[in-house]
Amino acid sequence: EIDLSADLFGQTLTSPLLNASGVHCQTKEELNDLANTSNLGAMVTKSATLQAREGNPNPRYYDLENGSINSMGLPNLGYDFYLDYVLQEQTKPTILSVAALSAADAITLLKDLQASDYQGPTELNLSCPNIVGEPQLAYDFEATDRVLSEVFSFYTKPLGVKLPPYFDLVHFDKIAAVLNKYPLTHVNTINSIGNGLWVDVDQEQVVTKAKGGFGGLGGTMVLPTALANVRALRQRLNDSIKVLGTGGVTSGADIFAHILCGADLVSVGTQVMKEGLGTYDRLAEELKAIMAEKGYQSLADFRGKLKEL
Ligand SMILES: O=C1NC(=O)NC(C(=O)O)N1
């Protein structure tokens, strides 16, 4: 029998699949839907900021033939709501995603979290590309080092980071050198490819409102970048740091590829926006069929075993 089980920081999941933060995870209804979704092994909340946020003006999400572009702007119900959810409501293993518009806010939020009763996994989003006037922090290696140094001077609970995609092998070396200094549970790679632009030729205009139409790219078009980031970070990070692969998954073969590149777990976003939560059942079946065809019993049989020529 094919075994899709995977480990989430000590919890055994029946499936290695998660939702990509931001997709179907902002409201209590959406989070409850995820909790009731078969073949979704674990779930991630929408990145929470200290104060609730409206986010950017609509239109802010646009479906493309080969993926998606979004400029949501971190709309969320606020950190207190999601902390209450993970403490009181969660019924499925859940990663609390948090974000901040400044290093100071990140410290404030994580100090509160450290003092709270929450003992579960948290993911610090260092890579939102859609806050007007704000950079993706993790593109600044020194700033990332400073923030993590301060965070880990007091934070003792499970903590990982959500990274933007890198496109230069030296950048993989640099971010890995920073991350390997800290007792991180995981990295989640990739966030959307920031500041893409789509043009509606008929209307001769952009398709999202904020930032003149510049937005984060997701979906099948980002799969090669996602696979490269999973592989490069797996090759460079300490074994103690897990890799959650995100980006470009539309099929079981894509999940197989992420795991072959070293992913411990795999999250799916844009395809769920297109196909709904039933995507997870289809992807699990497709992955099992590929494993059966190849004679693999478990994910460990092929995880990280991508061959070079
Ligand atoms: O980290 C994020 N990545 C995205 O692609 N979009 C959201 C957002 O804009 O809220 N945040």
Side-chain angles (χ1 to χ4, degrees):
E1 177 55 20
I2 303 285
D3 170 17
L4 293 190
S5 66
D7 173 75
L8 176 74
F9 319 126
Q11 300 180 79
T12 298
L13 312 181
T14 54
S15 153
L17 304 182
L18 296 87
N19 63 296
S21 178
V23 170
H24 211 101
C25 58
Q26 192 170 322
T27 65
K28 182 169 287 190
E29 292 72 27
E30 290 177 336
L31 292 166
N32 289 338
D33 287 344
L34 293 181
N36 297 323
T37 295
S38 51
N39 285 300
L40 184 72
M43 51 194 271
V44 188
T45 63
K46 171 67 186 175
S47 294
T49 46
L50 268 180
Q51 307 302 326
R53 288 173 54 83
E54 284 287 309
N56 292 336
N58 285 314
R60 60 191 189 182
Y61 185 93
Y62 191 83
D63 184 62
L64 300 171
E65 184 69 30
N66 60 351
S68 65
I69 184 168
N70 93 81
S71 181
M72 306 302 290
L74 285 177
N76 72 94
L77 298 177
Y79 158 68
D80 292 337
F81 169 82
Y82 299 100
L83 176 60
D84 180 67
Y85 179 84
V86 291
L87 282 173
Q88 312 292 344
E89 308 281 337
Q90 74 167 287
T91 57
K92 176 176 285 189
T94 302
I95 298 175
L96 174 66
S97 176
V98 296
L101 305 189
S102 67
D105 275 6
I107 300 306
T108 301
L109 192 156
L110 288 168
K111 278 187 171 165
D112 186 276
L113 200 52
Q114 176 65 26
S116 79
D117 292 336
Y118 181 60
Q119 305 301 336
T122 297
E123 186 173 284
L124 177 58
N125 183 349
L126 297 175
S127 47
C128 179
N130 299 321
I131 302 299
V132 177
E134 291 297 325
Q136 290 166 269
L137 184 73
Y139 283 150
D140 180 336
F141 304 113
E142 289 72 26
T144 300
D145 197 353
R146 280 196 301 276
V147 168
L148 292 179
S149 174
E150 182 159 2
V151 165
F152 284 106
S153 71
F154 64 84
Y155 202 78
T156 61
K157 300 176 178 179
L159 184 67
V161 290
K162 179 74 173 281
L163 297 174
Y166 299 96
F167 302 92
D168 182 305
L169 296 191
V170 171
H171 293 173
F172 290 134
D173 296 339
K174 286 177 178 286
I175 191 62
V178 169
L179 299 175
N180 278 330
K181 293 166 60 177
Y182 301 103
L184 291 162
T185 53
H186 72 286
V187 302
N188 186 332
T189 178
I190 63 174
N191 206 317
S192 57
I193 296 180
N195 297 298
L197 181 66
W198 186 254
V199 174
D200 177 338
V201 171
D202 293 347
Q203 307 280 328
E204 304 177 17
Q205 71 188 0
V206 301
V207 296
T208 52
K209 188 170 178 69
K211 295 172 50 179
F214 286 69
L217 305 176
T220 195
M221 73 174 100
V222 310
L223 181 61
T225 296
L227 294 176
N229 279 259
V230 167
R231 173 76 162 167
L233 286 166
R234 183 63 289 161
Q235 290 173 322
R236 290 165 175 77
L237 292 173
N238 298 335
D239 291 350
S240 57
I241 303 178
K242 299 289 186 189
V243 174
L244 272 59
T246 300
V249 172
T250 65
S251 71
D254 299 339
I255 298 169
F256 187 89
H258 264 271
I259 296 171
L260 204 55
C261 289
D264 292 283
L265 303 173
V266 179
S267 40
V268 186
T270 294
Q271 191 57 27
V272 175
M273 295 295 285
K274 293 173 180 285
E275 188 181 334
L277 293 172
T279 306
Y280 294 105
D281 289 332
R282 174 177 66 83
L283 293 174
E285 288 316 304
E286 289 179 3
L287 177 59
K288 279 194 263 189
I290 291 167
M291 289 172 66
E293 173 65 28
K294 290 168 171 287
Y296 292 129
Q297 290 292 312
S298 74
L299 305 182
D301 289 348
F302 61 97
R303 178 175 288 118
K305 296 186 176 172
L306 176 66
K307 294 180 283 190
E308 298 190 1
L309 296 175

